[in-house]
Amino acid sequence: MTDDNQAAARPTVVVVGGGYGGITVAKALDDTSDVVLVEPKDAFMHNIAALRALVDPSWLPRIFLPYSGLLTKGRGVRDRAVTVEPHRVVTASGEEISADFVVLATGSRYPFPAKTDLVDTHRAQEEVRRTNRALAQADRVLLVGAGPVGIELAGEIRDVWPEKSIVLLDVADEILGGPYLPELKAELRRQLVEARVELILGSPLRQAPPTEPGELGTFTVSTEAGTEIVADIWFRCYGVVPNSDYLGGELASARRPDGFIEVGPTLQVAGQTTVFAVGDISTADNKMAGFARHQAATVADNVNALAQGRTDLAQYESMGVAIAVPIGATGGAGQFPGQDEIVGRETISEVKGRDMMVSQFGEAFGLPATSAR
Ligand SMILES: Cc1cc2nc3c(=O)[nH]c(=O)nc-3n(C[C@H](O)[C@H](O)[C@H](O)COP(=O)(O)OP(=O)(O)OC[C@H]3O[C@@H](n4cnc5c(N)ncnc54)[C@H](O)[C@@H]3O)c2cc1C
């Protein structure tokens, strides 16, 4: 840590990545530290509502929230980190940033439109609008992957286009996957069938569709089991890939072969004291924004403790199993921590489906409250 008392009281904390975990830890430390947020995008993408914006692009302004409104004291560096070491972050343009603490929060990639790699809001929004126009013209939609994203996308499409044929396909023989109650899977399945979503489960596609995901163009594919599917557009609804290829020097050994970063109970990166990791890149918990934000609170407390010379660090406690899967604005089901019973469509609509959590994130960026569909 730097030498004078004032600097010791206000350490420099470099937060790498401004997703759900990164913005939460950066904001929590803004008063007590000199925060530097390294992020290549010009706006936070609230990807929880991305599928709603795909079917209804009027939501786009509410899901891209400019980073300029996030921090009052700290600063943003609009660039990608290419090398991160315990006390040094180097960006793609060659800027070197010294750090007392580093928080790794670079999350994961996921196929468009759920997430995007585009770093410019205008271009990202244009891409969503282009895909919306293609989807609007398609009569038959194939969704590959019946996890939460595939289920949610089926519901969003059905809400806006009652007449389209929607096929939801998965190699597994049940929907949703994960450590969830069988009653939850059964309820979501019941609602999908009620919404006239055709489920084709238990067999992979023989070949990938010939078109790019989100591109208009009629094709025929078949499953290994022999079911033939004709569709005009398809979307890939699987494939979380951690963004962790920038770890340099002694940090590289904390990167597991699958790309996730090993952390201990205090969320310090394995073998490190001043480097933390939160969110989808960390091995701490399931890959969810709610968990990333919960971890961010623990990390902020622990950075403050270390900066004050304390060693009694907080240990991260998982909230337990939690998921909210909307099927359109008014359907869906979920499971909340510590509850033996699933929650139904009214609760899911209230906590997620109706406003897709946009209001709580808008507030963090200093934006006025917005109305929901
Ligand atoms: C459609 C959909 C719906 C979802 N719904 C829910 C939900 O209802 N509830 C829930 O809890 N979770 C939900 N999730 C999961 C949730 O979105 C993720 O768990 C969450 O995005 C993880 O947050 P994160 O902060 O770890 O990383 P991310 O949100 O992935 O953010 C990472 C950030 O790091 C930046 N970055 C990447 N590489 C670098 C680099 N080298 N240098 C600097 N910056 C970099 C990226 O640009 C990005 O801004 C949903 C996911 C999807 C796809």
Side-chain angles (χ1 to χ4, degrees):
M1 193 169 295
T2 33
D3 46 8
D4 61 297
N5 286 341
Q6 203 186 3
R10 282 188 73 80
T12 298
V13 182
V14 180
V15 179
V16 187
Y20 292 95
I23 60 165
T24 309
V25 80
K27 206 159 174 78
L29 289 172
D30 199 23
D31 280 339
T32 56
S33 309
D34 289 331
V35 173
V36 182
L37 178 62
V38 180
E39 163 64 56
K41 294 180 176 162
D42 57 357
F44 167 75
M45 185 195 185
H46 174 43
N47 66 259
I48 289 176
L51 305 178
R52 178 67 51 84
L54 171 69
V55 300
D56 179 358
S58 72
W59 280 68
L60 282 170
R62 283 176 271 170
I63 75 163
F64 287 89
L65 307 170
Y67 284 110
S68 50
L70 182 70
L71 301 176
T72 47
K73 301 192 178 88
R75 72 179 174 108
V77 171
R78 192 177 164 200
D79 207 346
R80 180 173 298 282
V82 290
T83 305
V84 177
E85 294 169 4
H87 292 288
R88 191 177 80 112
V89 174
V90 184
T91 70
S93 62
E95 184 177 354
E96 296 209 11
I97 308 161
S98 302
D100 295 311
F101 297 93
V102 174
V103 181
L104 307 173
T106 44
S108 61
R109 290 190 291 286
Y110 195 91
F112 179 84
K115 286 191 173 182
T116 178
D117 287 337
L118 295 171
V119 297
D120 176 75
T121 295
H122 180 71
R123 284 189 57 209
Q125 293 193 354
E126 268 315 300
E127 190 63 5
V128 176
R129 287 198 185 89
R130 188 197 60 73
T131 310
N132 168 268
R133 288 192 294 272
L135 177 56
Q137 289 177 60
D139 291 329
R140 295 156 296 190
V141 185
L142 169 62
L143 306 176
V144 181
V149 173
I151 297 169
E152 199 173 316
L153 183 50
E156 292 299 326
I157 294 171
R158 177 55 77 232
D159 250 15
V160 172
W161 292 288
E163 303 308 325
K164 283 193 201 305
S165 141
I166 305 170
V167 171
L168 183 55
L169 179 142
D170 205 296
V171 59
D173 51 19
E174 62 173 16
I175 62 164
L176 191 63
Y180 306 112
L181 290 169
E183 296 89 314
L184 176 59
K185 299 178 189 200
E187 174 57 16
L188 289 169
R189 191 173 178 142
R190 192 191 64 71
Q191 290 187 35
L192 287 169
V193 171
E194 187 182 82
R196 291 169 291 109
V197 174
E198 185 184 349
L199 298 173
I200 300 181
L201 302 173
S203 182
L205 285 179
R206 246 188 213 131
Q207 68 285 87
T211 55
E212 288 296 313
E215 190 184 290
L216 191 64
T218 303
F219 60 86
T220 304
V221 283
S222 52
T223 65
E224 293 283 358
T227 308
E228 206 164 80
I229 303 152
V230 183
D232 305 308
I233 198 166
W234 74 286
F235 292 95
R236 184 179 286 126
C237 304
Y238 61 88
V240 172
V241 179
N243 296 316
S244 60
D245 56 356
Y246 51 77
L247 294 179
E250 59 186 277
L251 285 186
S253 59
R255 184 175 191 262
R256 294 195 323 197
D258 60 7
F260 293 98
I261 299 172
E262 198 77 53
V263 295
T266 54
L267 304 182
Q268 285 156 307
V269 169
Q272 301 297 317
T273 308
T274 58
V275 184
F276 294 80
V278 293
D280 280 9
I281 49 154
S282 144
T283 51
D285 210 334
N286 280 343
K287 309 307 165 210
M288 300 194 74
F291 296 150
R293 301 182 79 207
H294 189 46
Q295 290 162 26
T298 302
V299 167
D301 285 348
N302 286 344
V303 167
N304 283 332
L306 288 171
Q308 290 160 10
R310 289 167 31 214
T311 53
D312 56 330
L313 300 191
Q315 301 211 345
Y316 172 69
E317 282 180 30
S318 173
M319 293 188 283
V321 176
I323 192 163
V325 188
I327 297 184
T330 56
Q335 192 178 330
F336 291 169
Q339 294 188 7
D340 297 332
E341 299 200 346
I342 65 169
V343 290
R345 58 196 314 155
E346 293 80 14
T347 307
I348 294 304
S349 171
E350 199 181 309
V351 300
K352 184 171 173 185
R354 210 173 69 82
D355 102 319
M356 300 306 284
M357 304 176 180
V358 293
S359 42
Q360 50 176 286
F361 287 96
E363 275 167 32
F365 287 82
L367 300 174
T370 50
S371 60
R373 174 157 107 195

